[in-house]
């Protein structure tokens, strides 16, 4: 029923199917089959719920033929195979204005949006004051791993840099796998660059550790605010498996006061 419903919603003229009388709205089954490069009989069986489970390749071709959105494609997989499709990694240039407004609505909680490659593509004013003012960096330098393993300033801020670095590398490995980017050219280039740049990264990468980074406590030595203890929580961005949000909150009233003073000083 789902395939039939999607098929009847399409305008034949939009796909170049003009002329001839049509008894029902939308595309004909054979037209969808042609767009999906499968036999009309096979498509008819699938629409009628016969013929067994199709392959992922066939589902993708049908999804493309029916111009399904990503949520509709996922629903098709769930109906046909009982599980969502494999994640498709897509490079990200930035965040939507709506997502940026979410960050800006937390004036006293440093928050960032990062990609699966740990490129920072969104941040709020509190993050710029406490962590890094990413707006002052070239786009290619806005990467947490590059900063962690090449910036002495970022390194000096970390309490227990070695354990933090191990945690970051293990979390990065988990993120690229979750986003379906493990074998991508972008990841391979970044890993090769980091290995050449830092023997410490290379050693940690070769350890093959994988860790979850849902929540925890981060201690930062800030040159102006002093030692700050922050609780962090990580969130997925719905519909964007390649993006994640990390929000930091002061662990105590004293930390909150120091953070507020730092943000106020940076915004004068």
């Amino acid at each position: 029923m789902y395939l039939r419903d999607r098929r009847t919603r399409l305008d034949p003229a939009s796909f170049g199917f003009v002329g001839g009388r049509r008894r029902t709205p939308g595309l004909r089954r054979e037209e969808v089959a042609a767009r999906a490069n499968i036999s009309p009989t096979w498509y008819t069986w699938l629409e009628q719920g016969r013929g067994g489970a199709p392959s992922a390749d066939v589902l993708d071709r049908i999804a493309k033929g029916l111009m399904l959105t990503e949520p509709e494609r996922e629903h098709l997989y769930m109906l046909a195979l009982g599980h969502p499709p494999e994640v498709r990694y897509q490079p990200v240039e930035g965040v939507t204005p709506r997502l940026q407004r979410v960050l800006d609505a937390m004036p006293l909680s440093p928050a960032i949006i990062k990609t699966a490659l740990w490129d920072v593509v969104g941040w709020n004013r509190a993050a710029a004051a406490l962590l890094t003012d990413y707006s002052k960096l070239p786009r290619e330098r806005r990467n947490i791993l590059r900063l962690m393993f090449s910036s002495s300033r970022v390194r000096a801020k970390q309490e227990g840099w070695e354990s933090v670095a191990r945690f970051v590398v293990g979390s990065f490995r988990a993120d690229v796998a979750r986003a379906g980017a493990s074998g991508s050219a972008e990841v391979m280039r970044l890993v090769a660059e980091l290995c050449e740049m830092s023997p410490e990264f290379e050693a940690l990468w070769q350890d093959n550790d994988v860790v979850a980074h849902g929540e925890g406590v981060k201690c930062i030595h800030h040159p102006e605010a002093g030692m700050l203890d922050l609780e962090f929580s990580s969130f997925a961005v719905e519909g964007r498996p390649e993006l994640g949000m990390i929000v930091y909150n002061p662990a105590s009233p004293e930390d909150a006061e120091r953070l507020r003073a730092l943000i106020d000083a940076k915004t004068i």
Side-chain angles (χ1 to χ4, degrees):
M1 289 294 294
Y2 183 68
L3 289 178
R4 182 180 181 280
D5 177 76
R6 296 298 97 181
R7 173 172 62 82
T8 58
R9 290 171 183 254
L10 297 176
D11 178 13
S14 300
F15 299 93
F17 299 119
V18 295
R21 186 181 177 187
R22 292 176 179 266
R23 291 178 297 176
T24 57
L27 297 186
R28 298 185 176 108
R29 286 171 176 161
E30 59 269 24
E31 292 168 341
V32 174
R35 286 180 50 78
N37 195 27
I38 61 177
S39 76
T41 300
W42 178 223
Y43 176 79
T44 299
W45 286 354
L46 292 175
E47 195 171 284
Q48 294 173 345
R50 299 189 292 147
S55 67
D57 177 63
V58 167
L59 290 177
D60 283 339
R61 282 187 274 152
I62 291 174
K64 185 176 180 180
L66 290 171
M67 302 289 288
L68 299 186
T69 64
E70 194 59 30
E72 289 171 340
R73 172 176 170 266
E74 181 175 326
H75 185 64
L76 177 62
Y77 264 76
M78 293 300 297
L79 291 175
L81 303 179
H83 62 76
E86 290 186 7
V87 176
R88 293 171 169 176
Y89 171 69
Q90 298 177 340
V92 180
E93 291 295 325
V95 299
T96 63
R98 180 174 295 176
L99 196 51
Q100 183 61 52
R101 286 192 289 271
V102 172
L103 298 177
D104 294 338
M106 298 180 282
L108 299 180
S109 296
I112 63 172
I113 301 289
K114 64 176 182 57
T115 70
L117 272 67
W118 284 48
D119 290 321
V120 177
V121 292
W123 60 92
N124 61 9
R125 193 161 53 184
L130 179 66
L131 304 174
T132 298
D133 189 349
Y134 299 100
S135 67
K136 295 182 178 180
L137 298 176
R139 186 180 298 273
E140 67 274 8
R141 291 290 299 164
R142 299 172 189 170
N143 180 275
I144 295 171
L145 292 155
R146 288 191 179 104
L147 292 171
M148 176 69 68
F149 288 94
S150 69
S151 171
S152 58
R153 181 184 59 82
V154 171
R155 182 167 182 152
K157 282 186 177 182
Q158 311 301 318
E159 173 74 7
W161 181 88
E162 291 80 5
S163 61
V164 173
R166 179 174 292 278
F167 176 82
V168 165
V169 174
S171 299
F172 167 68
R173 186 186 292 276
D175 273 1
V176 296
R178 187 180 301 111
S182 296
S184 71
E186 293 88 351
V187 169
M188 301 305 291
R189 281 196 297 267
L190 177 60
V191 168
E193 174 194 332
L194 292 166
C195 286
E196 184 175 352
M197 173 196 305
S198 169
E200 291 161 310
F201 174 85
E202 184 175 21
L204 291 171
W205 185 254
Q206 290 177 353
D207 281 347
N208 289 304
D209 287 346
V210 178
V211 299
H213 56 96
E215 58 184 23
V217 176
K218 184 178 184 67
C219 302
I220 291 182
H221 290 281
H222 195 276
E224 299 168 45
M227 177 71 82
L228 286 167
D229 291 340
L230 302 154
E231 299 172 340
F232 68 85
S233 298
S234 301
F235 304 90
V237 178
E238 179 67 24
R240 299 291 300 275
E242 74 281 9
L243 292 181
M245 179 168 67
I246 305 177
V247 180
Y248 298 88
N249 285 305
S252 71
E254 293 75 21
D255 292 310
E257 204 51 48
R258 286 196 292 274
L259 179 58
R260 182 191 298 272
L262 175 65
I263 295 170
D264 289 343
K266 294 289 186 179
T267 54
I268 293 176

